[in-house]
Amino acid sequence: MSYENIVFDVKEEIATITFNRPKALNAINSALLEELQNALNTIETSQDIRVLVLTGAGDKAFVAGADITELASFNPLQAKLFSQKGQAIISRIQSLAIPAIAAVNGYALGGGSEIALACDFVYASENATFGLPEITLGIIPGFGGTQRLPRLIGANMAKELIFTGKLIPAKEAARIGIVNKVIDAEQLMDKVYETAGSIAAKGQVALRAAKEAINHGLNTDLVTGLAIEVDAFTVCMTSPDAKEGTTAFVEKRKAKFNGKLTG
Ligand code: DAK
């Protein structure tokens, strides 16, 4: 498939999806969702891609939300289909086997913040702005914002953001736990790729097990979560990378992970 609304690129085991509608501040329309779905198909079936980075084209926006012009044209049935499709695709980002990092380089509003929330963590440039301003349009977040934001920052903080629709700068987003790191705009992508590279060099079985244990564990009680961790740990111990990592420590050398999912 050729892409017009995103750029999909894979380099050294790191895939990058760049939302690419800079004239509309990378707003998400149906065509973009379709392309995003296609890129995720490729990522999910690849054994070579180890980390996904999501970012926005241009220096103004990550994603300024759902495309309001398109939203305004929807009848209720079209709105339902758009919402179902958007939710399903964004949930796929969260449940990808590999880590996904959002590199937020400007406005991340509405659906844009919701995409960032579905990633495993967010690095943001100093000029980034976050918010769920849907209330000012007479609607509510429709791509998981009412569910993921309170789980991440607590119900009261999330309610204030969602009820007021206010926009907050990157530093405030970092203070309340939406953003891991705020970085000078020129250095954002270098820092993101540095972290992505460090993650990509780790044992793939362990990475996948850790992500699955955290994600599934968060949706359950502690006792069940700990049982999930035991199972995930057991799976790790069957991998060649676990053998290599522990042997390398004993032999006082740096581990060389083969990173393969099979022996
Ligand atoms: N959609 C479409 N076009 C957008 C856009 C958006 N979300 N955001 C910006 N643009 C376009 C502008 O219309 C403008 O286009 P031209 O006029 O040049 O043709 C261009 O991008 C540049 O924007 P501005 O001229 O407005 O730039 P400024 O720097 O002055 O302002 C801004 C930047 C980000 C503060 C402003 O553009 C803005 O407020 N944009 C809207 C942000 C927003 O409200 N985002 C939330 C969208 S609602 C659902 C599922 C999901 C959702 C809803 C329902 N189900 C169906 C249930 C999700 C909803 C949302 O995400």
Side-chain angles (χ1 to χ4, degrees):
M1 179 184 195
S2 64
Y3 295 105
E4 287 172 17
N5 298 283
I6 64 170
V7 177
F8 180 51
D9 177 52
V10 183
K11 262 193 211 108
E12 290 168 14
E13 300 159 332
I14 299 169
T16 303
I17 292 174
T18 306
F19 300 106
N20 190 31
R21 301 184 66 221
K23 284 187 183 148
L25 304 188
N26 304 322
I28 310 163
N29 61 10
S30 306
L32 185 148
L33 277 183
E34 197 70 34
E35 293 180 17
L36 184 54
Q37 179 162 259
N38 213 277
L40 291 173
N41 289 344
T42 303
I43 293 165
E44 279 176 347
T45 51
S46 166
Q47 295 223 356
D48 300 322
I49 298 172
R50 298 183 176 193
V51 181
L52 169 64
V53 171
L54 294 107
T55 193
D59 54 9
K60 215 174 153 185
F62 175 70
V63 170
D67 188 313
I68 301 170
T69 316
E70 192 183 61
L71 271 188
S73 73
F74 283 155
N75 64 33
L77 191 58
Q78 288 172 314
K80 186 175 175 180
L81 287 174
F82 181 74
S83 178
Q84 283 173 333
K85 196 167 176 184
Q87 272 199 8
I89 292 171
I90 290 169
S91 291
R92 277 176 74 191
I93 296 173
Q94 180 165 31
S95 50
L96 277 178
I98 60 167
I101 307 173
V104 175
N105 56 320
Y107 289 110
L109 306 182
S113 270
E114 291 171 297
I115 289 176
L117 290 170
C119 291
D120 293 301
F121 56 88
V122 180
Y123 281 7
S125 61
E126 276 167 350
N127 66 326
T129 305
F130 293 78
L132 292 170
E134 284 87 344
I135 206 86
T136 61
L137 300 168
I139 57 176
I140 65 165
F143 288 153
T146 64
Q147 302 308 305
R148 290 194 180 96
L149 190 62
R151 281 170 171 76
L152 186 65
I153 66 172
N156 293 13
M157 282 288 197
K159 283 175 183 166
E160 186 183 345
L161 281 179
I162 291 170
F163 294 172
T164 62
K166 72 177 175 185
L167 310 188
I168 56 169
K171 283 199 174 121
E172 174 69 358
R175 192 186 67 77
I176 62 176
I178 296 174
V179 166
N180 278 21
K181 216 177 246 187
V182 180
I183 298 159
D184 191 59
E186 284 79 55
Q187 290 176 1
L188 175 68
M189 295 317 291
D190 285 350
K191 293 282 179 204
V192 167
Y193 286 124
E194 191 181 308
T195 298
S198 151
I199 293 172
K202 304 293 188 292
Q204 294 305 294
V205 175
L207 271 179
R208 287 169 185 236
K211 178 164 173 174
E212 209 167 301
I214 294 168
N215 280 3
H216 287 184
L218 278 173
N219 287 326
T220 185
D221 60 278
L222 181 62
V223 173
T224 312
L226 289 170
I228 290 171
E229 187 181 80
V230 167
D231 285 347
F233 189 88
T234 309
V235 169
C236 285
M237 290 309 284
T238 66
S239 76
D241 283 344
K243 184 88 190 142
E244 166 62 9
T246 50
T247 308
F249 178 83
V250 173
E251 293 174 356
K252 298 190 186 304
R253 60 176 175 81
K254 198 172 171 349
K256 270 195 213 146
F257 295 119
N258 81 6
K260 297 275 187 303
L261 293 179
T262 53

Short mmCIF file of all heavy atoms in Angstrom, two decimals, residues 143-183:
data_model
loop_
_atom_site.label_atom_id
_atom_site.label_comp_id
_atom_site.label_asym_id
_atom_site.label_seq_id
_atom_site.Cartn_x
_atom_site.Cartn_y
_atom_site.Cartn_z
N PHE A 143 -11.70 8.28 21.47
CA PHE A 143 -10.67 7.28 21.16
C PHE A 143 -9.98 6.78 22.43
O PHE A 143 -8.77 6.59 22.47
CB PHE A 143 -9.62 7.86 20.20
CG PHE A 143 -10.10 8.07 18.79
CD1 PHE A 143 -9.54 9.05 17.99
CD2 PHE A 143 -11.10 7.28 18.24
CE1 PHE A 143 -9.96 9.25 16.68
CE2 PHE A 143 -11.53 7.47 16.93
CZ PHE A 143 -10.97 8.46 16.15
N GLY A 144 -10.78 6.63 23.49
CA GLY A 144 -10.24 6.01 24.71
C GLY A 144 -9.79 6.98 25.79
O GLY A 144 -9.33 6.57 26.84
N GLY A 145 -9.93 8.29 25.54
CA GLY A 145 -9.42 9.28 26.49
C GLY A 145 -10.08 9.23 27.85
O GLY A 145 -9.44 9.44 28.87
N THR A 146 -11.40 8.95 27.88
CA THR A 146 -12.08 8.91 29.18
C THR A 146 -11.66 7.69 29.99
O THR A 146 -11.90 7.61 31.19
CB THR A 146 -13.63 8.88 29.04
OG1 THR A 146 -14.00 7.65 28.39
CG2 THR A 146 -14.15 10.07 28.27
N GLN A 147 -11.03 6.72 29.34
CA GLN A 147 -10.62 5.50 30.03
C GLN A 147 -9.12 5.49 30.34
O GLN A 147 -8.69 5.13 31.44
CB GLN A 147 -10.99 4.28 29.18
CG GLN A 147 -12.47 4.21 28.88
CD GLN A 147 -13.31 4.30 30.15
OE1 GLN A 147 -13.13 3.52 31.08
NE2 GLN A 147 -14.24 5.27 30.19
N ARG A 148 -8.30 5.87 29.35
CA ARG A 148 -6.84 5.76 29.57
C ARG A 148 -6.31 6.89 30.45
O ARG A 148 -5.42 6.68 31.26
CB ARG A 148 -6.09 5.73 28.24
CG ARG A 148 -6.32 4.45 27.47
CD ARG A 148 -5.34 4.23 26.33
NE ARG A 148 -5.66 2.97 25.66
CZ ARG A 148 -6.41 2.87 24.57
NH1 ARG A 148 -6.89 3.96 23.99
NH2 ARG A 148 -6.68 1.68 24.07
N LEU A 149 -6.84 8.10 30.27
CA LEU A 149 -6.28 9.22 31.05
C LEU A 149 -6.48 9.03 32.56
O LEU A 149 -5.51 9.15 33.31
CB LEU A 149 -6.86 10.56 30.56
CG LEU A 149 -6.17 11.79 31.14
CD1 LEU A 149 -4.69 11.85 30.74
CD2 LEU A 149 -6.87 13.08 30.72
N PRO A 150 -7.71 8.70 33.03
CA PRO A 150 -7.85 8.48 34.49
C PRO A 150 -7.01 7.33 35.00
O PRO A 150 -6.50 7.37 36.13
CB PRO A 150 -9.34 8.19 34.69
CG PRO A 150 -9.98 8.17 33.37
CD PRO A 150 -9.00 8.65 32.34
N ARG A 151 -6.82 6.31 34.18
CA ARG A 151 -5.96 5.20 34.64
C ARG A 151 -4.52 5.65 34.80
O ARG A 151 -3.78 5.13 35.61
CB ARG A 151 -6.03 4.03 33.65
CG ARG A 151 -7.30 3.16 33.80
CD ARG A 151 -7.41 2.19 32.62
NE ARG A 151 -8.46 1.19 32.80
CZ ARG A 151 -9.76 1.40 32.65
NH1 ARG A 151 -10.20 2.62 32.36
NH2 ARG A 151 -10.64 0.42 32.82
N LEU A 152 -4.12 6.63 33.97
CA LEU A 152 -2.73 7.08 34.00
C LEU A 152 -2.49 8.14 35.08
O LEU A 152 -1.51 8.07 35.82
CB LEU A 152 -2.35 7.66 32.63
CG LEU A 152 -0.90 8.06 32.44
CD1 LEU A 152 0.01 6.84 32.51
CD2 LEU A 152 -0.70 8.77 31.10
N ILE A 153 -3.39 9.12 35.18
CA ILE A 153 -3.09 10.26 36.08
C ILE A 153 -4.08 10.38 37.24
O ILE A 153 -3.99 11.32 38.02
CB ILE A 153 -3.03 11.60 35.30
CG1 ILE A 153 -4.40 11.96 34.71
CG2 ILE A 153 -1.96 11.55 34.21
CD1 ILE A 153 -4.45 13.36 34.08
N GLY A 154 -5.03 9.45 37.33
CA GLY A 154 -6.03 9.52 38.40
C GLY A 154 -7.29 10.21 37.91
O GLY A 154 -7.25 11.07 37.03
N ALA A 155 -8.41 9.82 38.52
CA ALA A 155 -9.72 10.30 38.05
C ALA A 155 -9.86 11.82 38.18
O ALA A 155 -10.35 12.48 37.25
CB ALA A 155 -10.83 9.60 38.83
N ASN A 156 -9.44 12.40 39.30
CA ASN A 156 -9.70 13.82 39.51
C ASN A 156 -8.94 14.71 38.53
O ASN A 156 -9.48 15.66 37.98
CB ASN A 156 -9.35 14.23 40.94
CG ASN A 156 -10.28 13.58 41.95
OD1 ASN A 156 -11.03 12.67 41.61
ND2 ASN A 156 -10.24 14.05 43.18
N MET A 157 -7.67 14.38 38.32
CA MET A 157 -6.86 15.14 37.35
C MET A 157 -7.48 15.00 35.95
O MET A 157 -7.57 15.97 35.20
CB MET A 157 -5.44 14.60 37.31
CG MET A 157 -4.58 15.04 38.46
SD MET A 157 -4.17 16.77 38.26
CE MET A 157 -2.80 16.90 39.37
N ALA A 158 -7.89 13.77 35.61
CA ALA A 158 -8.45 13.53 34.28
C ALA A 158 -9.77 14.28 34.11
O ALA A 158 -10.02 14.87 33.06
CB ALA A 158 -8.65 12.03 34.08
N LYS A 159 -10.59 14.27 35.17
CA LYS A 159 -11.88 14.96 35.07
C LYS A 159 -11.68 16.45 34.85
O LYS A 159 -12.37 17.07 34.04
CB LYS A 159 -12.69 14.72 36.35
CG LYS A 159 -13.32 13.33 36.39
CD LYS A 159 -13.99 13.12 37.73
CE LYS A 159 -14.57 11.71 37.83
NZ LYS A 159 -14.93 11.37 39.22
N GLU A 160 -10.70 17.03 35.55
CA GLU A 160 -10.46 18.47 35.36
C GLU A 160 -10.10 18.76 33.90
O GLU A 160 -10.63 19.68 33.27
CB GLU A 160 -9.36 18.96 36.31
CG GLU A 160 -9.20 20.48 36.26
CD GLU A 160 -8.07 20.99 37.14
OE1 GLU A 160 -7.58 20.24 38.01
OE2 GLU A 160 -7.67 22.15 36.94
N LEU A 161 -9.20 17.93 33.35
CA LEU A 161 -8.78 18.17 31.95
C LEU A 161 -9.94 17.95 30.98
O LEU A 161 -10.14 18.74 30.05
CB LEU A 161 -7.64 17.22 31.58
CG LEU A 161 -6.24 17.59 32.07
CD1 LEU A 161 -5.23 16.53 31.64
CD2 LEU A 161 -5.82 18.95 31.49
N ILE A 162 -10.71 16.90 31.20
CA ILE A 162 -11.79 16.57 30.25
C ILE A 162 -12.98 17.51 30.41
O ILE A 162 -13.58 17.94 29.42
CB ILE A 162 -12.21 15.08 30.42
CG1 ILE A 162 -11.08 14.17 29.93
CG2 ILE A 162 -13.51 14.78 29.66
CD1 ILE A 162 -11.24 12.70 30.25
N PHE A 163 -13.31 17.92 31.65
CA PHE A 163 -14.46 18.81 31.86
C PHE A 163 -14.17 20.24 31.39
O PHE A 163 -15.07 20.95 30.96
CB PHE A 163 -14.83 18.88 33.35
CG PHE A 163 -15.35 17.58 33.94
CD1 PHE A 163 -15.57 17.47 35.31
CD2 PHE A 163 -15.62 16.46 33.14
CE1 PHE A 163 -16.03 16.29 35.88
CE2 PHE A 163 -16.07 15.27 33.71
CZ PHE A 163 -16.29 15.18 35.08
N THR A 164 -12.90 20.68 31.51
CA THR A 164 -12.58 22.06 31.10
C THR A 164 -12.13 22.12 29.64
O THR A 164 -12.24 23.15 29.01
CB THR A 164 -11.45 22.66 31.95
OG1 THR A 164 -10.27 21.86 31.75
CG2 THR A 164 -11.81 22.70 33.43
N GLY A 165 -11.59 21.02 29.15
CA GLY A 165 -11.04 21.02 27.79
C GLY A 165 -9.77 21.85 27.67
O GLY A 165 -9.32 22.17 26.57
N LYS A 166 -9.17 22.21 28.83
CA LYS A 166 -8.02 23.11 28.76
C LYS A 166 -6.78 22.42 28.19
O LYS A 166 -6.64 21.19 28.30
CB LYS A 166 -7.71 23.70 30.14
CG LYS A 166 -7.11 22.73 31.12
CD LYS A 166 -6.77 23.44 32.43
CE LYS A 166 -6.28 22.43 33.46
NZ LYS A 166 -6.04 22.99 34.77
N LEU A 167 -5.93 23.23 27.59
CA LEU A 167 -4.68 22.71 27.02
C LEU A 167 -3.56 22.95 28.01
O LEU A 167 -3.52 23.98 28.67
CB LEU A 167 -4.36 23.41 25.70
CG LEU A 167 -5.49 23.48 24.66
CD1 LEU A 167 -4.98 24.02 23.34
CD2 LEU A 167 -6.13 22.10 24.44
N ILE A 168 -2.66 21.98 28.12
CA ILE A 168 -1.55 22.14 29.06
C ILE A 168 -0.21 21.96 28.33
O ILE A 168 -0.09 21.15 27.41
CB ILE A 168 -1.64 21.14 30.25
CG1 ILE A 168 -1.70 19.69 29.76
CG2 ILE A 168 -2.81 21.46 31.16
CD1 ILE A 168 -1.53 18.67 30.88
N PRO A 169 0.81 22.74 28.76
CA PRO A 169 2.12 22.62 28.13
C PRO A 169 2.83 21.34 28.55
O PRO A 169 2.47 20.70 29.55
CB PRO A 169 2.88 23.85 28.65
CG PRO A 169 2.18 24.25 29.90
CD PRO A 169 0.76 23.78 29.80
N ALA A 170 3.87 20.99 27.79
CA ALA A 170 4.60 19.73 28.02
C ALA A 170 5.06 19.57 29.46
O ALA A 170 4.95 18.49 30.05
CB ALA A 170 5.79 19.66 27.07
N LYS A 171 5.57 20.67 30.05
CA LYS A 171 6.12 20.55 31.42
C LYS A 171 5.04 20.17 32.41
O LYS A 171 5.27 19.37 33.32
CB LYS A 171 6.79 21.86 31.84
CG LYS A 171 8.15 22.00 31.19
CD LYS A 171 9.05 23.01 31.90
CE LYS A 171 10.43 22.95 31.25
NZ LYS A 171 10.86 24.21 30.70
N GLU A 172 3.84 20.74 32.23
CA GLU A 172 2.72 20.39 33.11
C GLU A 172 2.30 18.94 32.85
O GLU A 172 2.00 18.18 33.79
CB GLU A 172 1.56 21.37 32.85
CG GLU A 172 0.26 21.07 33.58
CD GLU A 172 0.32 21.27 35.08
OE1 GLU A 172 1.40 21.63 35.60
OE2 GLU A 172 -0.70 21.03 35.74
N ALA A 173 2.30 18.55 31.58
CA ALA A 173 1.95 17.15 31.24
C ALA A 173 2.95 16.19 31.88
O ALA A 173 2.58 15.10 32.32
CB ALA A 173 1.91 16.97 29.72
N ALA A 174 4.21 16.62 31.95
CA ALA A 174 5.21 15.75 32.59
C ALA A 174 4.97 15.70 34.10
O ALA A 174 5.06 14.65 34.73
CB ALA A 174 6.61 16.28 32.30
N ARG A 175 4.63 16.85 34.67
CA ARG A 175 4.42 16.91 36.13
C ARG A 175 3.29 15.97 36.57
O ARG A 175 3.38 15.32 37.61
CB ARG A 175 4.11 18.36 36.55
CG ARG A 175 4.16 18.61 38.04
CD ARG A 175 3.70 20.01 38.40
NE ARG A 175 2.29 20.26 38.14
CZ ARG A 175 1.29 19.83 38.91
NH1 ARG A 175 1.55 19.18 40.01
NH2 ARG A 175 0.03 20.09 38.58
N ILE A 176 2.24 15.87 35.75
CA ILE A 176 1.10 15.03 36.17
C ILE A 176 1.20 13.60 35.64
O ILE A 176 0.31 12.80 35.88
CB ILE A 176 -0.26 15.67 35.80
CG1 ILE A 176 -0.43 15.83 34.28
CG2 ILE A 176 -0.42 17.02 36.49
CD1 ILE A 176 -1.79 16.37 33.88
N GLY A 177 2.26 13.30 34.92
CA GLY A 177 2.51 11.90 34.57
C GLY A 177 2.11 11.45 33.18
O GLY A 177 2.11 10.26 32.88
N ILE A 178 1.77 12.41 32.30
CA ILE A 178 1.45 12.01 30.92
C ILE A 178 2.73 11.83 30.11
O ILE A 178 2.81 10.99 29.22
CB ILE A 178 0.54 13.09 30.25
CG1 ILE A 178 -0.81 13.16 30.98
CG2 ILE A 178 0.34 12.81 28.77
CD1 ILE A 178 -1.72 14.28 30.50
N VAL A 179 3.73 12.66 30.43
CA VAL A 179 4.97 12.70 29.65
C VAL A 179 6.14 12.23 30.52
O VAL A 179 6.25 12.63 31.68
CB VAL A 179 5.21 14.16 29.16
CG1 VAL A 179 6.61 14.36 28.65
CG2 VAL A 179 4.19 14.54 28.10
N ASN A 180 7.00 11.39 29.97
CA ASN A 180 8.17 10.93 30.73
C ASN A 180 9.29 11.96 30.73
O ASN A 180 10.00 12.12 31.71
CB ASN A 180 8.74 9.65 30.11
CG ASN A 180 7.98 8.42 30.58
OD1 ASN A 180 6.84 8.51 31.03
ND2 ASN A 180 8.61 7.26 30.45
N LYS A 181 9.48 12.62 29.57
CA LYS A 181 10.64 13.49 29.43
C LYS A 181 10.31 14.66 28.50
O LYS A 181 9.69 14.45 27.45
CB LYS A 181 11.78 12.67 28.79
CG LYS A 181 13.15 13.02 29.31
CD LYS A 181 14.19 12.12 28.69
CE LYS A 181 14.84 11.23 29.71
NZ LYS A 181 15.94 10.46 29.21
N VAL A 182 10.72 15.86 28.90
CA VAL A 182 10.53 17.03 28.02
C VAL A 182 11.91 17.41 27.47
O VAL A 182 12.87 17.53 28.23
CB VAL A 182 9.94 18.23 28.79
CG1 VAL A 182 9.74 19.43 27.87
CG2 VAL A 182 8.61 17.84 29.44
N ILE A 183 11.97 17.56 26.14
CA ILE A 183 13.27 17.70 25.47
C ILE A 183 13.21 18.89 24.51
O ILE A 183 12.16 19.17 23.91
CB ILE A 183 13.57 16.40 24.68
CG1 ILE A 183 13.67 15.22 25.66
CG2 ILE A 183 14.84 16.52 23.84
CD1 ILE A 183 13.46 13.88 25.03
#
